[in-house]
């Protein structure tokens, strides 16, 4: 179960807004985290707490293939993003860096900033603890859940290589 | 079988139906500066060798020559890796933008499965390749295994009929389509651009369409390979391929129609690419900077179109006009034809081939309150510098005539 305080944003939050190109000469995670969401919300990077959850609208992560976008959010402490819909490259990148991502069109309507969200990723349920309102979503396919459980594609593949070739 | 089903069936060895998730073997894997990030993940996975060094292309285009010490260190790391691994397809400083260099050097042929760590990898769809963007960690897994999971996408076929009016370009067509469908209107789909209007387009013009398919969320944006494709590729590659029209008869999941005969020059207004209006709606807005170039519109026909507008005239004294040829080949050809000299006489500053101003990485960043018109592919807030600047997207001809007048202008009334 993922449980955290909600930050709420609208539709079409693109990768340039999540982490602007002007900071991408440096891949240090602290540097990326310190500029996360800067052009959409100047307070985010300084006020986000580990375990917080981003709830946003349609087409989240549209734009660049820059993996630094989900990395910046994860490094800033974000535990999950819940969105109305996600751009495909961002969706893949989020899972590959081990940032849980949930597609749930009702979420935007259900939450106010500062609410607490509870997510059961494998069970496909989302709940607002303040209002008690819940919603269902399609959980990611099992093979993607395994990547998330391992903490991303790198640890996932390392585990598989250490386990040796499959029979 | 649709194009997507055909390519992914061949690449996976399975009968790939729409919606299936298949494990596909990659034919070509491209990375630019973010190779440094790929390399980090590659080492963390514990992989030792690249699965097939002949199928990997690395180059630098986003921040060249290095603009900061951090960038230089990233370049150095990748350069050293490319030498140590003896990668046959490593292009260092100066070849140009990946999406122009790979086709030019003959790395891409129809029906290939290409992945690249850049969202505009869809550009190779103009040559009939199934080409799509992925992230750095995923690329590290491709380097290690040569494989990637892919969901077989639905097909959205867009029929474009008629002859483009004078001063209207493929950039105007794709901006109009994105404006109509919205920035997620083709999410996850394989978009096919078909019809006589596409057949008439040059390969460079088709690249503009495929390039910007990602701006409406498409996974892939293809033009069917034809004789023009064959002629363009013939001097560039020894790879063999045959024209196979079978997938053109397959039923698409969605069919859209558009007549281009009445189309006007289009402009995408801040801060989303789908915020598109005819140029007449924004005519007269003062600009501070104009940019001609990028993987969208930095090719010879683009530079020639702009030069045709500006020849013998001076850019407005209030406008900084930046020109970036897409590749060394384009640069040399434009120089030999006198196009660059003419543009420079008109007041343009010619940069080395690369992505510089497009992503606000370096060169030509905008200050707060400034306005830029650009042939690039994104106008997101903060993209080209200050989050309080404005970026408008348009065709090379519209950008050139705007640079001349110091305000957004209609190329039909120069």
């Amino acid at each position: 179960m993922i449980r955290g305080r909600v930050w709420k944003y609208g539709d079409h939050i693109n990768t340039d807004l999540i982490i602007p190109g002007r900071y991408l000469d440096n891949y240090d995670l602290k540097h990326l985290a310190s500029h996360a969401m800067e052009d959409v919300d100047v307070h985010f990077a300084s006020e986000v707490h580990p375990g917080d959850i981003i709830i946003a609208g349609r087409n989240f992560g549209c734009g660049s293939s820059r993996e630094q976008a989900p990395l910046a959010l994860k490094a800033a402490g974000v535990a999950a993003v819940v969105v109305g819909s996600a751009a495909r490259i961002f969706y893949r990148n989020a899972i590959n860096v081990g940032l849980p991502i949930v597609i749930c069109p009702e979420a935007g309507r259900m939450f106010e900033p500062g609410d607490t969200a509870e997510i059961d990723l494998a069970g496909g349920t989302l709940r607002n603890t303040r209002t008690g309102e819940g919603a269902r979503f399609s959980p990611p396919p099992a093979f993607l859940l395994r990547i998330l459980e391992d903490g991303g594609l790198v640890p996932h593949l390392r585990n598989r290589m250490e386990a040796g070739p499959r029979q | 079988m649709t194009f997507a089903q055909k390519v992914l069936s061949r690449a996976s060895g399975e009968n790939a139906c729409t919606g299936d998730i298949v494990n596909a073997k990659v034919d070509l894997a491209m990375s630019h500066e973010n190779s440094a990030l790929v390399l980090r993940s590659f080492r963390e996975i514990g992989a030792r060798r690249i699965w097939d060094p002949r199928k990997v292309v690395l180059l630098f285009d986003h921040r060249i020559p290095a603009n900061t010490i951090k960038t230089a260190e990233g370049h150095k790391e990748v350069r050293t890796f490319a030498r140590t691994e003896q990668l046959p397809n490593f292009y260092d400083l100066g070849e140009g933008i990946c999406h122009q260099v790979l086709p030019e050097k003959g790395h891409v042929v129809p029906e290939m499965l290409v992945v690249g760590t850049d969202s505009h990898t869809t550009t190779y769809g103009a040559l009939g390749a199934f080409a799509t963007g992925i992230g750095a960690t995923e690329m590290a897994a491709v380097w290690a295994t040569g494989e990637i999971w892919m969901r077989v996408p639905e097909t959205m076929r867009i029929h474009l009929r008629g002859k483009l009016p004078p001063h209207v370009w493929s950039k105007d067509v794709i901006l109009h389509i994105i404006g109509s469908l919205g920035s997620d209107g083709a999410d996850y789909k394989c978009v096919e651009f078909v019809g006589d209007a596409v057949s008439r387009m040059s390969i460079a013009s088709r690249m503009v369409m495929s390039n910007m398919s990602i701006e409406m969320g498409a996974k892939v944006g293809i033009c069917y390979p034809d004789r023009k494709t064959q002629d363009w590729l013939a001097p560039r590659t020894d790879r063999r391929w045959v024209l196979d029209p079978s997938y053109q008869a397959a039923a698409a999941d969605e069919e859209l129609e558009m007549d281009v005969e009445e189309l006007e020059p289009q402009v995408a207004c801040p801060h989303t690419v789908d915020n598109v209006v005819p140029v007449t709606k924004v005519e007269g807005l003062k600009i501070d900077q104009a940019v001609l170039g990028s993987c969208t519109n930095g090719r010879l026909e683009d530079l020639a179109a702009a030069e045709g507008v500006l020849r013998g005239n001076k850019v407005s004294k209030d406008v900084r006009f930046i020109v970036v040829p897409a590749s060394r080949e384009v640069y040399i050809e434009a120089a030999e034809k006198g196009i660059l000299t003419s543009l420079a006489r008109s007041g343009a500053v010619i940069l080395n081939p690369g992505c510089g101003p497009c992503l606000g990485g370096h060169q030509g960043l905008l200050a707060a309150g400034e306005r830029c018109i650009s042939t690039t592919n994104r106008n997101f807030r903060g993209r080209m510098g200050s989050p309080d600047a404005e970026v408008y997207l348009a065709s090379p001809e519209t950008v050139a005539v705007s640079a001349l007048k110091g305000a957004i202008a209609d190329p039909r009334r120069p």
Side-chain angles (χ1 to χ4, degrees):
Chain A
M1 184 76 76
I2 304 165
R3 185 186 160 96
R5 181 177 64 138
V6 166
W7 292 76
K8 194 176 159 186
Y9 299 105
D11 294 337
H12 307 296
I13 300 294
N14 62 59
T15 49
D16 280 78
L17 293 174
I18 298 170
I19 184 74
R22 54 188 181 274
Y23 302 121
L24 295 185
D25 64 332
N26 183 347
Y27 300 156
D28 177 69
L29 292 176
K30 276 193 190 137
H31 163 80
L32 295 175
S34 70
H35 295 292
M37 303 296 278
E38 186 173 288
D39 287 352
V40 66
D41 181 353
V42 288
H43 305 292
F44 179 83
S46 55
E47 293 174 18
V48 66
H49 292 146
D52 284 359
I53 290 171
I54 286 180
I55 294 198
R58 270 168 54 202
N59 204 22
F60 191 83
C62 59
S64 170
S65 61
R66 64 184 67 158
E67 191 172 282
Q68 293 95 328
L71 272 178
L73 296 182
K74 194 182 175 198
V78 172
V81 292
V82 181
V83 296
S85 66
R88 67 165 278 281
I89 303 176
F90 184 89
Y91 181 86
R92 295 179 79 108
N93 281 345
I95 288 168
N96 289 330
V97 305
L99 175 68
I101 181 163
V102 167
I103 312 290
C104 181
E106 292 95 333
R109 184 185 48 74
M110 280 169 53
F111 290 91
E112 295 301 327
D115 283 352
T116 299
E118 268 183 6
I119 306 166
D120 178 354
L121 199 59
T125 60
L126 172 72
R127 202 172 76 89
N128 182 335
T129 60
R130 177 177 61 85
T131 63
E133 190 181 1
R136 299 197 63 82
F137 58 86
S138 306
F143 78 103
L144 294 184
L145 274 176
R146 278 197 295 277
I147 295 174
L148 282 173
E149 279 160 15
D150 285 348
L153 189 61
V154 166
H156 178 73
L157 289 178
R158 210 171 39 214
N159 291 348
R160 271 181 41 184
M161 287 178 116
E162 281 164 10
R166 282 176 300 172
Q167 293 303 307
Chain B
M1 269 202 248
T2 62
F3 172 80
Q5 289 165 342
K6 184 177 181 214
V7 173
L8 291 178
S9 292
R10 195 258 311 149
S12 67
E14 296 169 48
N15 180 25
C17 299
T18 303
D20 287 356
I21 290 174
V22 297
N23 206 37
K25 288 189 166 44
V26 166
D27 297 311
L28 189 68
M30 182 282 297
S31 291
H32 44 68
E33 268 90 339
N34 56 20
S35 301
L37 205 55
V38 182
L39 192 51
R40 184 196 286 179
S41 291
F42 185 70
R43 286 176 173 147
E44 282 175 5
I45 291 169
R48 281 186 295 275
R49 307 309 298 257
I50 284 187
W51 102 101
D52 187 344
R54 293 164 305 169
K55 293 181 178 170
V56 171
V57 182
L58 303 186
L59 49 63
F60 301 141
D61 57 10
H62 273 52
R63 291 172 172 79
I64 48 157
N67 58 327
T68 64
I69 295 170
K70 283 280 177 202
T71 299
E73 284 166 352
H75 284 173
K76 185 180 171 188
E77 199 183 344
V78 176
R79 201 175 276 133
T80 306
F81 174 73
R83 282 195 193 125
T84 315
E85 293 293 309
Q86 296 181 306
L87 296 184
N89 304 311
F90 169 62
Y91 301 103
D92 208 321
L93 165 77
E95 280 309 328
I97 307 177
C98 51
H99 306 317
Q100 177 63 11
V101 173
L102 265 66
E104 258 176 17
K105 303 279 184 193
H107 290 292
V108 180
V109 297
E111 296 184 26
M112 270 180 134
L113 173 60
V114 186
V115 292
T117 48
D118 189 283
S119 59
H120 294 105
T121 299
T122 53
T123 310
Y124 316 138
L127 296 171
F130 187 103
T132 196
I134 62 171
T137 294
E138 196 149 42
M139 181 59 83
V142 170
W143 282 8
T145 65
E147 294 178 3
I148 189 167
W149 68 268
M150 282 277 167
R151 185 182 164 281
V152 185
E154 285 81 13
T155 294
M156 174 190 275
R157 192 170 292 150
I158 305 180
H159 298 262
L160 299 168
R161 305 197 197 289
K163 251 183 144 161
L164 285 172
H167 313 292
V168 176
W169 295 80
S170 69
K171 178 61 161 282
D172 300 303
V173 177
I174 189 67
L175 285 178
H176 182 74
I177 293 172
I178 294 165
S180 310
L181 295 178
S183 63
D184 53 358
D187 255 0
Y188 295 88
K189 289 175 185 149
C190 173
V191 173
E192 300 184 354
F193 298 105
V194 304
D196 60 307
V198 183
S199 302
R200 265 195 287 273
M201 283 178 195
S202 67
I203 297 297
S205 285
R206 294 177 193 179
M207 283 176 165
V208 178
M209 311 272 293
S210 294
N211 176 279
M212 290 196 73
S213 301
I214 178 69
E215 305 309 329
M216 49 183 178
K219 179 177 200 156
V220 178
I222 66 148
C223 303
Y224 294 148
D226 58 9
R227 279 300 303 270
K228 232 178 234 178
T229 320
Q230 214 154 21
D231 293 345
W232 195 90
L233 284 170
R236 301 173 190 275
T237 181
D238 297 328
R239 290 167 200 264
R240 289 168 192 283
W241 59 282
V242 282
L243 277 174
D244 168 21
S246 66
Y247 44 78
Q248 304 182 17
D253 300 278
E254 265 173 281
E255 307 257 1
L256 304 176
E257 307 257 344
M258 179 183 160
D259 196 327
V260 303
E261 303 239 333
E262 303 291 321
L263 190 68
E264 296 181 87
Q266 305 284 305
V267 177
C269 303
H271 295 286
T272 56
V273 184
D274 58 1
N275 187 12
V276 177
V277 297
V279 66
T280 44
K281 291 259 196 248
V282 283
E283 226 180 331
L285 277 180
K286 292 262 175 275
I287 56 167
D288 303 286
Q289 181 166 295
V291 174
L292 171 67
S294 85
C295 60
T296 314
N297 283 110
R299 302 189 172 83
L300 194 71
E301 72 174 27
D302 304 313
L303 303 185
E307 192 271 335
V309 172
L310 291 169
R311 191 181 308 150
N313 295 305
K314 289 268 188 234
V315 163
S316 161
K317 64 177 173 36
D318 297 324
V319 174
R320 313 181 295 267
F321 184 38
I322 296 173
V323 174
V324 203
S327 70
R328 187 197 295 276
E329 185 181 308
V330 170
Y331 193 108
I332 291 171
E333 215 175 334
E336 285 176 350
K337 287 185 154 57
I339 293 170
L340 292 187
T341 311
S342 174
L343 286 169
R345 282 208 179 100
S346 294
V349 172
I350 320 278
L351 303 187
N352 59 286
C355 309
C358 173
L359 79 158
H362 71 147
Q363 298 174 315
L365 270 72
L366 299 169
E370 289 193 323
R371 188 178 290 136
C372 174
I373 189 161
S374 176
T375 67
T376 53
N377 44 38
R378 283 194 183 127
N379 57 354
F380 297 162
R381 183 187 293 278
R383 172 86 177 169
M384 292 177 82
S386 168
D388 299 315
E390 291 187 342
V391 181
Y392 290 73
L393 306 177
S395 78
E397 221 185 308
T398 303
V399 167
V401 72
S402 303
L404 189 63
K405 299 201 169 169
I408 296 180
D410 189 335
R412 294 168 300 181
R413 288 183 278 114

